[in-house]
Coordinates of all heavy atoms in Angstrom, one line a residue:
S1476 N 7.3 -19.1 -9.3 CA 6.9 -19.9 -8.2 C 5.8 -19.2 -7.4 O 5.9 -18.0 -7.2 CB 8.1 -20.2 -7.3 OG 9.1 -20.8 -8.0
Y1477 N 4.9 -20.0 -6.9 CA 3.9 -19.4 -6.1 C 4.0 -20.1 -4.7 O 3.8 -21.3 -4.5 CB 2.5 -19.7 -6.6 CG 2.1 -18.9 -7.8 CD1 2.6 -19.2 -9.1 CD2 1.4 -17.7 -7.7 CE1 2.3 -18.5 -10.2 CE2 1.1 -16.9 -8.8 CZ 1.6 -17.3 -10.0 OH 1.3 -16.5 -11.1
C1478 N 4.5 -19.3 -3.7 CA 4.8 -19.9 -2.4 C 3.7 -19.4 -1.4 O 3.7 -18.2 -1.1 CB 6.2 -19.4 -1.9 SG 7.5 -19.8 -3.1
L1479 N 2.9 -20.3 -1.0 CA 1.8 -20.0 -0.1 C 2.4 -20.0 1.3 O 1.8 -19.3 2.2 CB 0.7 -21.0 -0.2 CG 0.0 -21.0 -1.6 CD1 -1.2 -22.0 -1.5 CD2 -0.6 -19.6 -1.9
T1480 N 3.4 -20.7 1.6 CA 4.0 -20.7 2.9 C 5.5 -20.3 2.8 O 6.3 -21.0 2.3 CB 4.0 -22.1 3.6 OG1 2.6 -22.5 3.6 CG2 4.5 -22.1 5.0
P1481 N 5.9 -19.1 3.4 CA 7.3 -18.6 3.3 C 8.2 -19.4 4.2 O 7.7 -20.2 5.0 CB 7.2 -17.2 3.7 CG 6.0 -17.1 4.6 CD 5.0 -18.2 4.1
A1482 N 9.5 -19.1 4.1 CA 10.5 -19.8 4.9 C 10.4 -19.3 6.4 O 11.1 -19.9 7.2 CB 11.9 -19.5 4.4
Y1483 N 9.7 -18.3 6.7 CA 9.5 -17.8 8.1 C 8.1 -17.3 8.3 O 7.3 -17.1 7.3 CB 10.5 -16.6 8.3 CG 10.0 -15.3 7.7 CD1 9.3 -14.4 8.4 CD2 10.2 -15.1 6.4 CE1 8.8 -13.2 7.8 CE2 9.8 -13.9 5.8 CZ 9.1 -13.0 6.5 OH 8.6 -11.8 5.9
G1484 N 7.6 -17.3 9.5 CA 6.3 -16.9 9.8 C 6.1 -15.4 9.9 O 7.1 -14.7 10.2
K1485 N 4.9 -14.9 9.7 CA 4.6 -13.5 9.8 C 4.9 -13.0 11.2 O 5.2 -11.8 11.4 CB 3.1 -13.3 9.4 CG 2.8 -11.8 9.3 CD 1.3 -11.7 8.8 CE 1.0 -10.2 8.6 NZ -0.4 -10.1 8.1
D1486 N 4.7 -13.8 12.2 CA 5.0 -13.4 13.6 C 6.4 -13.1 13.9 O 6.7 -12.7 15.0 CB 4.4 -14.5 14.5 CG 2.9 -14.6 14.4 OD1 2.3 -13.6 14.0 OD2 2.3 -15.6 14.8
E1487 N 7.3 -13.5 13.0 CA 8.8 -13.3 13.3 C 9.2 -11.8 13.1 O 10.3 -11.5 13.4 CB 9.6 -14.1 12.3 CG 9.5 -15.6 12.7 CD 10.5 -16.5 11.9 OE1 11.5 -15.9 11.5 OE2 10.3 -17.7 11.7
G1488 N 8.2 -11.0 12.8 CA 8.5 -9.5 12.8 C 8.8 -9.0 11.4 O 9.0 -9.7 10.4
R1489 N 9.0 -7.7 11.4 CA 9.3 -6.9 10.2 C 10.7 -7.1 9.8 O 11.6 -7.4 10.6 CB 8.9 -5.5 10.3 CG 9.6 -4.8 11.5 CD 9.2 -3.4 11.7 NE 9.8 -2.8 12.9 CZ 11.0 -2.3 12.9 NH1 11.7 -2.2 11.7 NH2 11.5 -1.8 14.0
P1490 N 11.0 -6.9 8.5 CA 12.4 -7.1 8.0 C 13.3 -5.9 8.6 O 12.9 -4.8 8.6 CB 12.3 -7.0 6.5 CG 11.0 -6.3 6.3 CD 10.1 -6.7 7.4
G1491 N 14.5 -6.3 9.0 CA 15.5 -5.4 9.4 C 15.2 -4.6 10.7 O 15.7 -3.5 11.0
E1492 N 14.3 -5.2 11.5 CA 13.9 -4.5 12.7 C 15.0 -4.2 13.7 O 15.0 -3.3 14.5 CB 12.8 -5.2 13.4 CG 13.1 -6.6 13.9 CD 11.9 -7.3 14.6 OE1 10.8 -6.7 14.5 OE2 12.1 -8.3 15.2
E1493 N 16.1 -5.1 13.6 CA 17.2 -4.9 14.5 C 18.1 -3.7 14.1 O 18.9 -3.2 14.9 CB 18.1 -6.1 14.6 CG 18.9 -6.4 13.3 CD 18.0 -7.0 12.2 OE1 16.8 -7.3 12.5 OE2 18.5 -7.2 11.1
K1494 N 17.8 -3.1 12.9 CA 18.6 -2.0 12.4 C 17.9 -0.7 12.5 O 18.4 0.4 12.2 CB 19.1 -2.3 11.0 CG 19.9 -3.5 10.8 CD 20.3 -3.7 9.4 CE 21.2 -5.0 9.2 NZ 21.5 -5.2 7.7
G1495 N 16.6 -0.7 12.9 CA 15.8 0.5 12.9 C 14.5 0.3 12.1 O 14.1 -0.8 11.9
P1496 N 13.9 1.4 11.7 CA 12.6 1.4 11.0 C 12.8 0.7 9.6 O 13.8 0.8 9.0 CB 12.2 2.8 10.9 CG 13.5 3.6 11.0 CD 14.3 2.8 11.9
T1497 N 11.7 0.0 9.2 CA 11.7 -0.6 7.9 C 11.3 0.5 6.9 O 10.2 1.1 7.1 CB 10.7 -1.8 7.8 OG1 11.1 -2.8 8.8 CG2 10.6 -2.4 6.4
T1498 N 12.1 0.7 5.9 CA 11.8 1.7 4.9 C 10.9 1.2 3.8 O 11.1 0.1 3.2 CB 13.1 2.3 4.2 OG1 13.9 2.9 5.2 CG2 12.7 3.3 3.2
V1499 N 9.7 1.9 3.6 CA 8.8 1.5 2.5 C 8.7 2.6 1.5 O 8.4 3.7 1.9 CB 7.4 1.2 3.1 CG1 6.4 0.8 2.0 CG2 7.5 0.1 4.2
H1500 N 9.0 2.3 0.3 CA 8.9 3.3 -0.8 C 7.5 3.3 -1.5 O 6.9 2.2 -1.6 CB 10.0 3.0 -1.9 CG 11.4 3.3 -1.4 ND1 12.2 2.3 -1.0 CD2 12.0 4.4 -1.2 CE1 13.4 2.8 -0.6 NE2 13.3 4.1 -0.7
M1501 N 7.0 4.4 -1.8 CA 5.7 4.5 -2.4 C 5.7 5.3 -3.7 O 6.4 6.2 -3.9 CB 4.7 5.1 -1.4 CG 4.8 6.5 -1.1 SD 6.0 7.0 0.1 CE 5.7 8.7 0.3
D1502 N 4.8 4.8 -4.6 CA 4.4 5.5 -5.9 C 2.9 5.5 -6.0 O 2.3 4.6 -5.6 CB 5.0 4.8 -7.1 CG 6.5 5.1 -7.3 OD1 6.8 6.3 -7.4 OD2 7.3 4.2 -7.4
M1503 N 2.4 6.6 -6.5 CA 1.0 6.7 -6.7 C 0.7 7.6 -7.9 O 1.2 8.7 -8.0 CB 0.2 7.2 -5.5 CG -1.3 7.1 -5.6 SD -2.1 7.4 -4.0 CE -3.8 7.5 -4.5
F1504 N -0.2 7.1 -8.8 CA -0.6 7.9 -9.9 C -2.2 7.9 -10.0 O -2.8 6.8 -10.0 CB -0.1 7.3 -11.2 CG -0.3 8.2 -12.4 CD1 0.6 9.2 -12.8 CD2 -1.5 8.0 -13.2 CE1 0.3 10.0 -13.9 CE2 -1.7 8.8 -14.3 CZ -0.8 9.9 -14.6
V1505 N -2.7 9.1 -10.0 CA -4.2 9.2 -10.0 C -4.6 9.2 -11.5 O -4.3 10.1 -12.3 CB -4.7 10.5 -9.3 CG1 -6.2 10.7 -9.6 CG2 -4.4 10.4 -7.8
I1506 N -5.3 8.2 -11.9 CA -5.8 8.0 -13.3 C -6.9 8.9 -13.6 O -7.0 9.4 -14.7 CB -6.1 6.5 -13.5 CG1 -4.9 5.6 -13.2 CG2 -6.6 6.2 -14.9 CD1 -5.2 4.1 -13.1
D1507 N -7.8 9.1 -12.6 CA -9.0 9.9 -12.9 C -9.7 10.4 -11.7 O -9.5 9.7 -10.6 CB -10.0 9.0 -13.7 CG -11.1 9.9 -14.4 OD1 -10.9 11.1 -14.5 OD2 -12.2 9.3 -14.8
V1508 N -10.3 11.5 -11.8 CA -11.2 12.0 -10.7 C -12.6 12.2 -11.4 O -12.7 12.9 -12.3 CB -10.7 13.4 -10.2 CG1 -11.7 13.9 -9.1 CG2 -9.3 13.2 -9.5
G1509 N -13.5 11.4 -10.8 CA -14.8 11.4 -11.5 C -15.9 12.3 -11.0 O -16.7 12.8 -11.8
N1510 N -15.9 12.7 -9.7 CA -17.0 13.5 -9.2 C -16.5 14.2 -7.9 O -15.8 13.6 -7.1 CB -18.2 12.6 -9.0 CG -19.4 13.4 -8.5 OD1 -19.7 14.5 -9.1 ND2 -20.1 13.0 -7.4
I1511 N -16.9 15.4 -7.8 CA -16.7 16.2 -6.5 C -18.1 16.6 -6.0 O -18.8 17.3 -6.7 CB -15.8 17.4 -6.8 CG1 -14.4 16.9 -7.2 CG2 -15.7 18.2 -5.5 CD1 -13.5 18.1 -7.6
D1512 N -18.5 16.1 -4.8 CA -19.8 16.2 -4.3 C -19.8 17.1 -3.0 O -19.4 16.6 -2.0 CB -20.4 14.9 -4.1 CG -21.9 14.9 -3.8 OD1 -22.4 15.9 -3.2 OD2 -22.6 14.0 -4.1
G1513 N -20.1 18.3 -3.1 CA -20.1 19.2 -2.0 C -21.2 18.8 -0.9 O -20.9 19.0 0.3
A1514 N -22.3 18.3 -1.4 CA -23.4 17.9 -0.4 C -23.0 16.7 0.4 O -23.2 16.7 1.6 CB -24.7 17.7 -1.2
Q1515 N -22.3 15.8 -0.2 CA -21.9 14.5 0.5 C -20.5 14.7 1.1 O -20.1 13.8 1.8 CB -21.9 13.4 -0.5 CG -23.3 13.0 -1.0 CD -24.2 12.5 0.0 OE1 -23.8 11.8 0.9 NE2 -25.5 12.8 -0.1
Q1516 N -19.8 15.8 0.8 CA -18.4 16.0 1.2 C -17.5 14.9 0.8 O -16.8 14.3 1.6 CB -18.4 16.2 2.8 CG -19.2 17.4 3.3 CD -18.5 18.7 3.0 OE1 -17.6 19.1 3.7 NE2 -18.9 19.4 2.0
T1517 N -17.6 14.5 -0.5 CA -16.8 13.4 -1.0 C -16.3 13.8 -2.4 O -16.7 14.7 -3.1 CB -17.6 12.1 -1.1 OG1 -18.7 12.4 -2.0 CG2 -18.2 11.7 0.2
F1518 N -15.3 13.0 -2.9 CA -14.9 13.0 -4.3 C -14.6 11.5 -4.6 O -14.2 10.7 -3.8 CB -13.7 13.9 -4.5 CG -12.4 13.4 -3.9 CD1 -11.5 12.7 -4.7 CD2 -12.1 13.7 -2.6 CE1 -10.3 12.3 -4.1 CE2 -10.9 13.3 -2.0 CZ -10.0 12.6 -2.8
S1519 N -14.7 11.2 -5.9 CA -14.4 9.9 -6.4 C -13.1 9.9 -7.2 O -12.8 10.9 -7.9 CB -15.5 9.3 -7.2 OG -15.7 10.1 -8.4
A1520 N -12.3 8.9 -7.1 CA -11.0 8.8 -7.8 C -10.6 7.4 -8.1 O -11.1 6.4 -7.5 CB -9.9 9.5 -7.0
H1521 N -9.8 7.3 -9.2 CA -9.3 6.0 -9.6 C -7.7 6.2 -9.6 O -7.2 7.1 -10.2 CB -9.8 5.6 -11.0 CG -9.3 4.3 -11.5 ND1 -9.3 3.9 -12.8 CD2 -8.7 3.2 -10.8 CE1 -8.8 2.7 -13.0 NE2 -8.4 2.3 -11.8
A1522 N -7.0 5.3 -8.9 CA -5.6 5.5 -8.8 C -4.8 4.2 -8.8 O -5.4 3.1 -8.5 CB -5.3 6.2 -7.4
Y1523 N -3.6 4.3 -9.1 CA -2.6 3.1 -9.2 C -1.6 3.3 -8.0 O -1.0 4.4 -7.9 CB -1.9 3.1 -10.5 CG -0.7 2.1 -10.6 CD1 -0.9 0.8 -10.9 CD2 0.6 2.5 -10.3 CE1 0.1 -0.1 -11.0 CE2 1.6 1.6 -10.3 CZ 1.4 0.3 -10.7 OH 2.4 -0.6 -10.7

C-alpha cells in the first residue's frame, strides 16, 4: 500500500514522547572514498 495521508498528522508529535526520548537505530556502510583534497579541505565518499 502507498499511503500519502497517514492516520495521524505530523504535528501530533514524535512516537512515544510520553515515555521519554524516541530511540532511532542507525546503520551506515561506506561503499567508496573517491578523493581526499588537502587544498579544498574536503573528501568525497559514497555511503549507504
Side-chain angles (χ1 to χ4, degrees):
S1476 302
Y1477 287 82
C1478 301
L1479 298 180
T1480 304
Y1483 75 97
K1485 188 176 181 180
D1486 294 337
E1487 291 190 24
R1489 57 186 174 82
E1492 61 181 10
E1493 70 282 355
K1494 299 179 181 179
T1497 300
T1498 299
V1499 180
H1500 292 101
M1501 71 276 187
D1502 276 306
M1503 186 168 173
F1504 188 88
V1505 173
I1506 301 168
D1507 196 17
V1508 177
N1510 184 48
I1511 295 174
D1512 191 328
Q1515 296 294 324
Q1516 298 286 281
T1517 61
F1518 71 96
S1519 63
H1521 180 201
Y1523 170 88

